[in-house]
Amino acid sequence: MHLDHDPASPAGDAIGFDDFLKVDIRVGTILSAEAYPEARKPAYKLLIDFGPGIGQKKSSAQITENYALEDLPGRQVAAVVNFPPRQIGKFLSEVLTLGFADDAGAVMLFAPDRAVPDGSRLF
């Protein structure tokens, strides 16, 4: 699923600004997080509130190495909200929660450094 975690890798192919605008990246607040032991790779099931325009959505996130379940509720995260839902085992993931690879290749969540309204769009 992930293309290249190497920070020294070159930039991807150029895209037009209109292509960027098609990707709807929003901020939401994690309402709940639970273990997903049936996943092929260690993951959590998240329920994220993206505010009144989008509502609550589910996401499967491979963030178990850097985050404890009890620390996730209340945390804001960024996610792509306009990809089609994806079946992850028996769980239907409705949004793609975003992150960057740390030095070991584990996911660090991407989020604003201060609280913003749920549903705020990246621009």
Side-chain angles (χ1 to χ4, degrees):
M1 181 170 143
H2 302 288
L3 298 176
D4 191 345
H5 294 299
D6 182 358
S9 64
D13 294 338
I15 63 170
F17 189 70
D18 288 341
D19 292 324
F20 168 74
L21 292 176
K22 292 177 186 176
V23 181
D24 194 350
I25 299 173
R26 304 285 184 110
V27 166
T29 299
I30 298 173
L31 299 175
S32 64
E34 60 183 89
Y36 187 22
E38 303 87 6
R40 201 173 12 175
K41 294 182 180 179
Y44 293 148
K45 294 190 275 186
L46 307 177
L47 179 62
I48 306 168
D49 182 6
F50 292 97
I54 294 172
Q56 298 177 6
K57 299 290 181 179
K58 299 178 292 182
S59 181
S60 172
Q62 295 174 1
I63 58 173
T64 60
E65 292 183 45
N66 287 319
Y67 300 94
L69 282 172
E70 61 271 12
D71 295 333
L72 292 168
R75 179 185 183 93
Q76 285 195 306
V77 294
V80 176
V81 298
N82 65 331
F83 283 154
R86 185 171 180 176
Q87 195 72 44
I88 310 292
K90 294 181 180 183
F91 184 75
L92 187 64
S93 189
E94 300 173 300
V95 298
L96 176 64
T97 304
L98 300 176
F100 292 95
D102 65 11
D103 290 338
V107 179
M108 297 297 302
L109 291 169
F110 181 63
D113 58 358
R114 289 190 289 175
V116 298
D118 288 334
S120 292
R121 185 172 182 173
L122 179 76
F123 62 93

